[in-house]
Amino acid sequence: MLSKKCKYAIHALVYLAERYQQGPVHIQDIADAQHIPKKFLEAILLEMRNAKILHSKKGKGGGYYLYKKPEDVNLVEIIRLMDGAISMLPCVSINYYERCEECRDEVTCGIRDAFTGVRDETLKVLSRSTLAHIVKRQRDLGK
Amino acid sequence: MLSKKCKYAIHALVYLAERYQQGPVHIQDIADAQHIPKKFLEAILLEMRNAKILHSKKGKGGGYYLYKKPEDVNLVEIIRLMDGAISMLPCVSINYYERCEECRDEVTCGIRDAFTGVRDETLKVLSRSTLAHIVKRQRDLGK
DNA sequence: CCTAAAGTCTACTAACTTACTAGATTTATA
DNA sequence: TATAAATCTAGTAAGTTAGTAGACTTTAGG
């Protein structure tokens, strides 16, 4: 399961993607619209700013806006940033690899083998899911 | 990420699947072989017994053994039992569904849409991965 | 240049979950 | 009846999650 933090991040990004190139949006606006505690959202947005997904403008009339193009931000990137590994096991993780303490030999481990398959399929779907794709999809669905 | 509990469960089940129909195996044997704390493993095996995956025999010469056939136990079942939902969001979960607090309308939610795809692919791979499949795979790989 | 409105930074905390452990009890076999 | 095994009850320490509080900095506009 994704953490609330990660869910909030995705919702906030979709909200900003819907307002792409329309100037900065207040944290408060996003918080109100998406029902996210403002202070918590602050930390989340800051983290995404540091990751160069967002930019911000301080002072009056300031706020956050997408820095990357909506078609260049996918769910893989967001989840990795917020929650870490995508894989279900550390020993099959690409970005957060850790050796299995339990298994003797990774190469002949049937369990590892199964979860490598899960990882690959998950990455395939998540990398196709960009902000642009999500926004388009909900417009098509008639939002 | 799977919990340690779940990983232990899978390792224990594979160990028992390798010894299918060869009589009861002591908790201690499994614990030693798979490097699982014995007391913790006790609780895990008990839970799988209550779920009718394993049977046990008490007293001298007792132990645990697979009740279901190795080809009838897949990773979906084990993960659901140990960790709960497979999905990354409660609102797309089949067995552990919960309504999203954040989103207004589930039908037009592009986020939900993306994670439904992830869920389906994950379930596809995990349900193919039975204990029999895992054991065979590691024999083929030359364990 | 002052003020209000915005984001930034540091530090804390309550509640929950995870990964266990201890110890008494029950059951079955030889 | 002794012993070896699983079972049951009841904890607990450490880590993570989901926040909150409050002071600080920056900027636009009057």
Side-chain angles (χ1 to χ4, degrees):
Chain A
M1 283 277 176
L2 298 182
S3 67
K4 283 201 162 196
K5 186 183 169 195
C6 187
K7 282 195 269 180
Y8 290 158
I10 297 170
H11 280 279
L13 284 175
V14 170
Y15 189 82
L16 290 175
E18 287 168 347
R19 285 150 191 80
Y20 186 54
Q21 287 180 326
Q22 295 174 29
V25 180
H26 302 329
I27 295 180
Q28 191 66 64
D29 284 358
I30 308 173
D32 290 347
Q34 301 298 311
H35 310 103
I36 305 171
K38 193 199 165 196
K39 274 291 184 180
F40 195 21
L41 181 58
E42 279 182 18
I44 294 168
L45 294 175
L46 208 50
E47 212 172 319
M48 296 200 285
R49 199 200 75 133
N50 293 335
K52 315 280 186 207
I53 297 170
L54 302 177
H55 263 186
S56 62
K57 195 161 172 272
K58 276 184 161 189
K60 211 169 189 171
Y64 276 94
Y65 53 96
L66 262 185
Y67 173 53
K68 286 195 170 186
K69 283 184 279 184
E71 57 266 38
D72 290 342
V73 184
N74 64 33
L75 290 177
V76 173
E77 182 179 8
I78 307 170
I79 295 173
R80 283 206 177 120
L81 185 62
M82 293 293 126
D83 283 2
I86 303 282
S87 332
M88 298 184 102
L89 290 180
C91 65
V92 303
S93 174
I94 295 170
N95 286 249
Y96 298 84
Y97 172 83
E98 269 176 57
R99 181 150 171 43
C100 255
E101 301 153 38
E102 295 84 22
C103 76
R104 295 262 140 254
D105 181 10
E106 284 191 356
V107 180
T108 62
C109 180
I111 298 169
R112 188 178 138 87
D113 198 57
F115 284 101
T116 303
V118 177
R119 179 202 66 193
D120 290 343
E121 290 306 310
T122 304
L123 281 177
K124 211 181 284 174
V125 180
L126 289 179
S127 59
R128 273 203 303 265
S129 302
T130 64
L131 294 180
H133 178 271
I134 292 171
V135 170
K136 181 178 185 311
R137 188 92 176 108
Q138 43 196 33
R139 280 186 184 139
D140 289 350
L141 287 170
K143 192 189 173 180
Chain B
M1 283 278 175
L2 298 183
S3 66
K4 284 202 161 194
K5 186 184 169 194
C6 188
K7 283 196 268 178
Y8 289 158
I10 297 169
H11 279 280
L13 284 175
V14 170
Y15 189 80
L16 290 175
E18 287 168 346
R19 284 152 190 80
Y20 184 54
Q21 288 181 326
Q22 296 173 27
V25 181
H26 302 330
I27 295 180
Q28 192 64 65
D29 284 358
I30 308 173
D32 290 347
Q34 302 298 310
H35 310 102
I36 305 170
K38 193 201 166 198
K39 275 293 185 178
F40 195 21
L41 181 58
E42 280 182 18
I44 295 168
L45 294 176
L46 208 50
E47 213 172 319
M48 296 199 284
R49 201 200 73 132
N50 294 335
K52 316 280 185 204
I53 297 170
L54 301 177
H55 264 185
S56 61
K57 194 163 173 270
K58 276 184 157 189
K60 208 166 189 173
Y64 276 94
Y65 53 97
L66 261 186
Y67 173 53
K68 286 194 171 188
K69 282 185 281 183
E71 56 266 38
D72 289 343
V73 184
N74 64 34
L75 290 176
V76 173
E77 182 178 8
I78 308 170
I79 295 171
R80 284 206 176 120
L81 186 63
M82 293 293 125
D83 283 1
I86 302 283
S87 332
M88 298 183 102
L89 290 180
C91 66
V92 303
S93 174
I94 295 170
N95 286 248
Y96 298 84
Y97 172 83
E98 269 176 58
R99 181 153 172 40
C100 256
E101 300 152 40
E102 295 83 24
C103 76
R104 296 261 139 255
D105 181 11
E106 284 191 355
V107 179
T108 62
C109 179
I111 298 169
R112 187 180 138 85
D113 199 57
F115 284 102
T116 303
V118 177
R119 181 204 63 192
D120 289 342
E121 290 306 310
T122 304
L123 282 177
K124 211 181 285 175
V125 180
L126 289 179
S127 57
R128 273 203 303 264
S129 302
T130 64
L131 294 180
H133 179 270
I134 292 171
V135 170
K136 182 178 184 315
R137 188 91 176 108
Q138 43 197 34
R139 281 188 184 138
D140 289 351
L141 288 169
K143 191 187 177 182

